[in-house]
Amino acid sequence: MGGPMGGQFLTEEEKKNQPKVTPELLKRVFSYLKPYTKQFILVLLCIFVSSFFTLLPSIITGKILDDGLLKRDFRALVYYIVLSLIVTLAASLIGVAENYINTWIAQHITFDMRNQMYSHLQKMSQRFFTTNNQGDIITRMTSDIDGVKTVVTNTFSSILSNSITLIIAMVAMFQKNWILALVGIVIVPVFTLPTRKAGKKRWTLTNESQQVNDEVNGILNETLSVSGQLLVKLFGKEKYEYDRYENANRRMIGLNIKESMAGRWFRVILTTFTSIGPMLLYLAGGILMMKYDSDITIGDITVLVSLLGRMYMPVNSLLNIQVEWIRSMALFKRIFDYFDIPVEIKNADDAVTPDKVTGDVIFEHVEFSYEESKKILKDINFTLNAGKSIAIVGPSGSGKSTIVNLIPRLYDVDSGSVTFDGIDVRKLDLGFLRNQVGVVSQETYLFNGTIRQNLLYAKPDASEEDMIEALKKANIWDFIEKQEKGIDTEVGNRGLKLSGGEKQRISIARIILKDPTIFIFDEATSALDSISEKKIQDAIDPIIKSKTSILIAHRLSTILAADEILVVKDGTIVERGSHKELLGRDGVYRELYETQFSKALLEEDGVSELEQYIWGTQPGDEPDDDED
Ligand code: ADP
């Protein structure tokens, strides 16, 4: 009979968050069972047969008494005893089979759900991943879906087997004698309810004492640490702390005594009620037999008593099931809520996949915001012609990364349009579009694995030569060649075994292998030391010169390599032109130049070269600052 376990009652919070069990919700839950209907029917059959077989020995007891013992028929006695044993064994074996099929179904349902969820999450926009806690996402994928397994193997099957057991027991009782059956049906709930009440009381006490226990531990942690003790001593708070501790300690023992007594009372109630039930049945049976001359036999009465004993557990479980049921529904609801998050960025129904692309990108009146109230981009207009390069500069937070994020549709514009080769990016096949764009960002991400694996991620059919060539172009081959395992060197978790610059260059090699139509470098050289920067710069420069590219940069030499410079401030393009034009204009660019670029230059190259930049260099000219 279910003890007062913590799990039996809903917490206040669970009560508040009870999901509404609508037919739609149920239909959705059971839709996951649908592919396994056949197996499910088999489980039902197993449960039915094993419940019946479990009860059968109780019924056979009547035969043992009436036909065996009372009639002094030894053969019948042995026969019924053996039958009873066989039936019990069969019930257990069928139980094993039921368990197996049940587990199988549960595993397959969670398998389906996990895959479905994973695929759904993959379609989620960048917005989803930036606004949702990664921990929450993982919990939904793992523990919540794991919970479903428990629901299927425990909750559902317990509801079924207990209901079936009860129904069979009741039918059997009514067949024996309807009056006694009625007495039994009244007895069971009347005697189950008080035990539940006692259990609840004990559960409340356990909770309370847990709280006080936490409090006591808190005091100990605070005051028995080095710094805590120092504080207590210096402020002369020994007495105060002692009183506080003693008080909590006293409350705890009070609760502990109550709790263990509640356990006692609980057991007393339990044993009394479970033994009163049979007594009442014997009494009622006796009255029928002796006062009303009924033809009820001793065996019948024994069977009824035995069946009654078998009913407590299912009734108790079914009373608890309500709690489990609510929890299960809440679990499903949580999972479904995730499934119902709309896919923000999806392939248009009439998405096109052009055969050939050149790579023109046009932004027209683009407006964008991450959150409704805060506009990030305002009326962005620019054209990037195939083969050309644009540098975007501006203070941090001005919206530079946001602009480039719109090209591979990490986000969609609020209004205006981004077109690629004259086609709105929202009309292009998403896979195709993203294949055309290669991004190297400041935060390079390498998967845990070897350099080779990370490269093959971009181009699964790349040959050894392709890879080496890309690594050479990315200025990282020298380093890799020196490694013991060469291209099969492990990069470590997220590439942590490599320096920032090495990671960057591997990710540049990855993009070179991918060979997209448009290259985007998002502050690829920031946060690196100047030697690393230089190597990356050398790797990037030829790409900028020959490919359609956008670079967000803070380094003058990178900016100078671009054909056009866009100056972004507060989400709008405030200036555009060549380095020289912009410098002459005494605007944001000039200010940036004086505060940022030249500072970087000073640190790196000394004053004379700075002078050279300011007065001599043409946009697009490569500054020759490359003595390592
Ligand atoms: P930049 O690249 O110029 O430094 P960003 O484009 O990264 O600027 O950011 C522009 C503005 O948008 C900033 O104010 C930033 O706080 C905000 N922002 C960037 N990413 C997000 C995001 N995922 N959710 C909400 N706001 C964002």
Side-chain angles (χ1 to χ4, degrees), residues 130 370-371 374 376 395-402 411 523:
T130 47
Y370 290 105
E371 285 136 32
K374 200 172 147 218
I376 301 289
S396 137
S398 55
K400 304 182 293 292
S401 306
T402 308
Y411 296 92
E523 306 217 44

Side-chain angles (χ1 to χ4, degrees), residues 2 9 70 75 151 196 242 402 410 463 490 507 531 619 624 626:
F9 305 97
L70 291 177
R75 270 178 66 108
V151 171
R196 278 181 66 75
Y242 175 80
T402 308
L410 294 183
S463 67
E490 291 281 338
S507 78
I531 293 176
D624 52 15
D626 42 13

Side-chain angles (χ1 to χ4, degrees), residues 242-311:
Y242 175 80
D243 289 345
R244 203 155 73 101
Y245 179 73
E246 200 209 84
N247 185 298
N249 211 356
R250 188 186 306 282
R251 265 185 301 147
M252 190 157 76
I253 57 162
L255 280 171
N256 283 349
I257 293 173
K258 264 199 211 155
E259 189 191 337
S260 90
M261 281 329 283
R264 279 277 140 237
W265 289 122
F266 178 74
R267 215 158 292 152
V268 171
I269 295 170
L270 213 72
T271 34
T272 316
F273 280 143
T274 34
S275 51
I276 286 181
M279 295 309 146
L280 284 179
L281 266 194
Y282 282 128
L283 183 66
I287 292 172
L288 282 183
M289 234 168 143
M290 295 166 210
K291 305 272 179 209
Y292 292 91
D293 216 17
S294 158
D295 57 1
I296 191 166
T297 64
I298 294 177
D300 289 343
I301 297 175
T302 318
V303 170
L304 285 163
V305 168
S306 169
L307 286 175
L308 182 78
R310 301 267 184 167
M311 283 168 80

